Amino acid sequence: FPYTTLFRSLLVLSTWLADHPESDLCSQALALRVELMSHIESERRACTGSPLPPKWEVKRRVLADPVLAVYMQDYALSQGITREAVLAEAREYIEEIQSVYRVGVVRYFCRVVDYLFDKFLDGIEVDREGIRFLAECDNRSRIVIVCDHKSYADSLLIGYVMFRCGMVPPQQAAGQNMDFWPMGWLLRHSGAFYIRRSFMGETLYKEVFCAYVRYL
């Protein structure tokens, strides 16, 4: 990446030792090793993202959501249908919603955006302090970024700049109207998950969507 923000946190040994007065040197060394491994792992995840489970595993985890499981049982009873029918409907909703992030697609997408920006823009002004803030928060926090939608390019620019700064683009909510070929395929494999514009009358869909967000 042309810009990098890999060094996000600093462990000061003297401060750490003062906060961890273990009884013997071996215990201190073991605790320090655990702390260092934790820092290294959080740095790795900040740069590469969390492990990417296969689609079937995502479905399994979402369907295992306890709130959703209770609702599906009540929904089956209220509608007079079998549990298997409700599960099949829920699986279809997850298929409709879920993102399928692939780093290779994001790299290709960024090359296309590079070309478009070179053609139509003079440059991009990046808030370096904002990027540094994201980098420092990203180790141990969950972050929600809300676009003000001055243009449809807002979310694209955020993901693009984060990727070019050595961070994983965020999972992004996209309107169902954007799910058309080839844009829908590109967005889904770049971290977009899809949301219907209205939940009116779609109670099971709403619960599945909420379970998917909790999974994320």
Side-chain angles (χ1 to χ4, degrees):
F1 300 107
Y3 314 113
T4 182
T5 54
L6 300 184
F7 299 102
R8 293 175 168 84
S9 58
L10 181 65
L11 192 149
V12 180
L13 184 58
S14 58
T15 304
W16 187 90
L17 289 171
D19 294 337
H20 297 76
E22 272 77 5
S23 56
D24 61 278
L25 188 60
C26 289
S27 298
Q28 274 189 327
L30 180 60
L32 179 59
R33 182 180 185 278
V34 171
E35 183 78 13
L36 287 172
M37 294 302 293
S38 174
H39 275 253
I40 292 169
E41 176 61 16
S42 65
E43 292 293 328
R44 185 194 67 78
R45 286 178 64 112
C47 296
T48 65
S50 56
L52 301 175
K55 292 174 67 175
W56 64 265
E57 175 65 12
V58 173
K59 288 181 184 177
R60 188 193 67 79
R61 293 185 189 181
V62 174
L63 292 172
D65 181 274
V67 177
L68 177 61
V70 170
Y71 179 82
M72 287 194 297
Q73 184 176 357
D74 294 341
Y75 182 81
L77 291 172
S78 66
Q79 298 295 317
I81 56 179
T82 64
R83 182 175 179 274
E84 288 71 25
V86 176
L87 280 172
E89 188 177 351
R91 288 192 185 97
E92 289 179 3
Y93 289 148
I94 298 170
E95 188 79 22
E96 174 187 319
I97 294 166
Q98 74 178 126
S99 68
V100 187
Y101 180 80
R102 293 181 183 172
V103 176
V105 175
V106 176
R107 287 182 182 141
Y108 171 78
F109 204 179
C110 279
R111 287 175 188 155
V112 173
V113 175
D114 284 340
Y115 173 79
L116 294 175
F117 284 172
D118 287 342
K119 290 290 184 181
F120 301 109
L121 296 179
D122 293 330
I124 300 175
E125 183 177 338
V126 178
D127 179 4
R128 299 289 181 178
E129 288 301 317
I131 290 292
R132 186 174 295 110
F133 173 78
L134 283 178
E136 291 170 353
C137 289
D138 199 35
N139 284 347
R140 301 178 185 276
S141 305
R142 291 174 176 84
I143 303 170
V144 176
I145 301 173
V146 182
C147 299
D148 57 10
H149 263 325
K150 288 186 177 180
S151 75
Y152 280 110
D154 289 354
S155 56
L156 174 64
L157 285 169
I158 288 173
Y160 172 81
V161 169
M162 288 179 68
F163 186 77
R164 286 302 184 202
C165 290
M167 290 184 284
V168 178
Q171 295 280 322
Q172 299 190 34
Q176 190 66 39
N177 58 305
M178 299 297 293
D179 190 12
F180 59 90
W181 177 264
M183 182 59 70
W185 186 89
L186 279 171
L187 291 176
R188 191 183 295 274
H189 288 83
S190 299
F193 60 95
Y194 289 97
I195 178 173
R196 295 182 182 180
R197 293 297 184 181
S198 173
F199 292 175
M200 187 70 70
E202 299 285 356
T203 55
L204 179 58
Y205 172 84
K206 182 183 76 170
E207 293 299 328
V208 171
F209 182 82
C210 290
Y212 182 77
V213 173
R214 285 194 293 271
Y215 157 75
L216 290 180

